Amino acid sequence: MKISSHFDSGSIEVVAIATDGNIDLKLRLDEVSDPSVQIRQWFHFRLQGARGQAVNLRIHNAGAATYPGGWKDYRACASYDRVHWFRVDTSYADGVLVISHMPERDSVYYAYFEPYSWERHLQLLGRAEDSPLARVRDLGASLDGRDLNVIEIRSEAGALEKRACWIIARQHPGETMAEWLAEGVIERLLDPFDPVSRALLDEAAFYIVPNMNPDGSVRGNLRVNAAGANLNREWVEPTLERSPEVFHVRAAIEETGCDFFLDVHGDETIPYVFAAGNEMLPTSTEAQKAEQARYLQALAAAAPDFQLKHGYPSGRYSEDALKLASKWIGHRYGCVSLTLEL
C-alpha cells in the first residue's frame, strides 16, 4: 500500500503503513509566517493498493488540530475519480481520528472536505466568460505567481447606475465549500432563463472573486497564503509583500465602490449556516443595523439551510474587527457587509 499527497491541495504526513491495513498518519502544519502559531486541520491524500481490504487510516495528532471540536460527528470525504465524492465512516477518540473504509478500487482519495481544484477554478473562469453577461478581469498575481481574477457580471438593461455587489470566497483555502458556493452563485446569475437573476442584474453589477487564496489552496493550507498570512486579518494594511491578494482586491473595490459585500467562509466547528455582521462596530448606525437585519431575515426566508439562532457572539472580533474583510468594508462603505459561514 502507498500514501501520496504531492498534488493540488495534497496534505498529509505518513508515519507508518502496516500490512494489516492500519495506516498511521499526521496532519501537516500550514506554512505560517509566525513559528509560534501552529495551524493544522486540512488533509487530502491518495491511497493505492488497498482494493478489497479494510483499512484504518489513523490520524494521530487530530487532537492537536486547530479546531478539534470539528471532529465531533465528522465523516471524511472520499472519491475514486476526484469528481464524485462520498462520506466514509470516521470516528474520533483520545485525540485520534480514524477513517475506516474498504476501497473498491486500487486508487482512492480522502479529504477533509470535497476539494475545489485549481483546474476547476480555471474552468469556472472559462465557462463564465462564455456568457455575454460576464467579463473575467485580472487584478494581479499571488506571491507564487498565480492569477487573481474577478468575474464581473452585469446586464446592459435596467438601471443606468448599477449598485456594486462584491462577493469574495476562500480567503481561508481549506474552506473549499466557499468556492463551491461561489460557483453556484455565478452559474445562477449567468442563467438567462432565471427571472430572479435577470431582476438582480437590472439593478446591480456583481463582482465575484471565487478564490482569494490560490497559493494556499494549491499548497494544501487550511488558513494562510504563501507568505503564511491569514488574509482575513490583512484588510487594514495589506501589502504586496505579505498579502497581495487583499491588496489587489481592495484596490478594485475602491474603483467600483461597494453597496453590498459578502465574504464566504466555512466554520470548522459550528454545524450550521450563519452570518456574522457589523452591528458591533462603533461606526454602525441604526439604519445600517436595520438594513442588515432585513437582509438576514430575507435570506432566512429564502434559503432553508440558513438560520439565525446559531453563530458567533456579536463581540467575538471586537478588538481586531477592522482587520477582517466584512468589518473593514462595512466600516469603509457603510453598506450591508457580512461574513457568511457555511
Side-chain angles (χ1 to χ4, degrees):
M1 290 182 288
K2 176 185 177 182
I3 296 285
S4 58
S5 60
H6 290 285
F7 45 77
D8 184 347
S9 79
S11 180
I12 202 68
E13 292 181 4
V14 180
V15 177
I17 301 176
T19 56
D20 62 0
N22 289 317
I23 300 174
D24 296 326
L25 307 168
K26 293 177 67 177
L27 297 172
R28 179 182 64 75
L29 285 168
D30 275 18
E31 306 145 315
V32 297
S33 57
D34 182 351
S36 68
V37 176
Q38 296 194 334
I39 299 172
R40 55 166 73 88
Q41 191 104 14
W42 172 263
F43 61 84
H44 181 198
F45 58 89
R46 182 188 187 190
L47 169 64
Q48 297 181 81
R51 179 198 288 257
Q53 180 177 351
V55 296
N56 291 306
L57 302 151
R58 304 183 298 200
I59 301 178
H60 285 272
N61 63 344
T66 306
Y67 303 100
W71 304 131
K72 183 179 183 297
D73 299 325
Y74 170 77
R75 298 178 73 209
C77 296
S79 175
Y80 296 114
D81 60 5
R82 300 197 303 161
V83 175
H84 304 94
W85 291 79
F86 53 93
R87 299 283 185 173
V88 292
D89 291 339
T90 308
S91 61
Y92 177 70
D94 300 324
V96 180
L97 188 76
V98 181
I99 302 170
S100 301
H101 187 221
M102 182 181 290
E104 298 176 358
R105 303 180 191 174
D106 292 313
S107 174
V108 57
Y109 293 80
Y110 300 96
Y112 175 65
F113 192 78
E114 182 172 352
Y116 197 104
S117 71
W118 181 243
E119 182 63 26
R120 188 180 184 102
H121 170 82
L122 296 177
Q123 290 170 345
L124 175 63
L125 300 181
R127 291 200 310 275
E129 205 157 33
D130 274 344
S131 169
L133 298 174
R135 291 183 60 200
V136 176
R137 292 173 46 206
D138 176 60
L139 299 181
S142 69
L143 290 169
D144 284 344
R146 293 186 177 87
D147 297 328
L148 186 67
N149 291 112
V150 60
I151 301 174
E152 180 181 338
I153 303 174
R154 62 166 61 240
S155 167
E156 297 305 321
L160 293 176
E161 294 296 326
K162 306 278 188 180
R163 284 174 282 184
C165 298
W166 277 84
I167 301 174
I168 67 171
R170 213 171 168 186
Q171 288 202 86
H172 296 152
E175 297 166 13
T176 56
M177 60 285 288
E179 191 161 7
W180 286 106
L181 181 139
E183 178 182 298
V185 170
I186 292 163
E187 290 186 342
R188 183 163 186 191
L189 284 172
L190 295 179
D191 182 354
F193 303 107
D194 190 309
V196 175
S197 296
R198 292 202 307 269
L200 283 171
L201 293 176
D202 279 345
E203 301 294 330
F206 285 81
Y207 303 86
I208 303 175
V209 183
N211 189 339
M212 283 285 297
N213 196 337
D215 294 347
S217 302
V218 174
R219 287 172 176 236
N221 291 337
L222 175 75
R223 291 180 72 81
V224 302
N225 71 351
N230 177 350
L231 296 184
N232 205 28
R233 300 297 184 275
E234 294 285 315
W235 282 76
V236 172
E237 292 181 311
T239 66
L240 291 173
E241 295 74 24
R242 176 177 169 84
S243 48
E245 302 89 350
V246 175
F247 182 94
H248 291 308
V249 170
R250 210 184 76 160
I253 296 174
E254 286 287 326
E255 292 178 2
T256 66
C258 191
D259 298 291
F260 173 81
F261 183 83
L262 202 61
D263 179 20
V264 189
H265 288 257
D267 188 85
E268 287 80 7
T269 59
I270 301 177
Y272 298 95
V273 180
F274 62 96
N278 291 338
E279 65 279 357
M280 81 296 296
L281 295 180
T283 55
S284 180
T285 66
E286 292 304 314
Q288 289 170 338
K289 293 175 184 177
E291 190 175 21
Q292 174 181 294
R294 285 197 300 273
Y295 174 80
L296 293 175
Q297 290 289 344
L299 183 56
D305 288 335
F306 183 78
Q307 53 78 53
L308 299 170
K309 181 178 179 181
H310 304 277
Y312 300 146
S314 62
R316 172 170 171 162
Y317 296 115
S318 57
E319 292 184 5
D320 60 351
L322 292 184
K323 296 180 181 178
L324 281 69
S326 64
K327 317 302 182 192
W328 190 87
I329 293 290
H331 170 76
R332 170 72 177 84
Y333 296 99
C335 63
V336 172
S337 182
L338 301 165
T339 303
L340 178 64
E341 296 281 355
L342 306 176

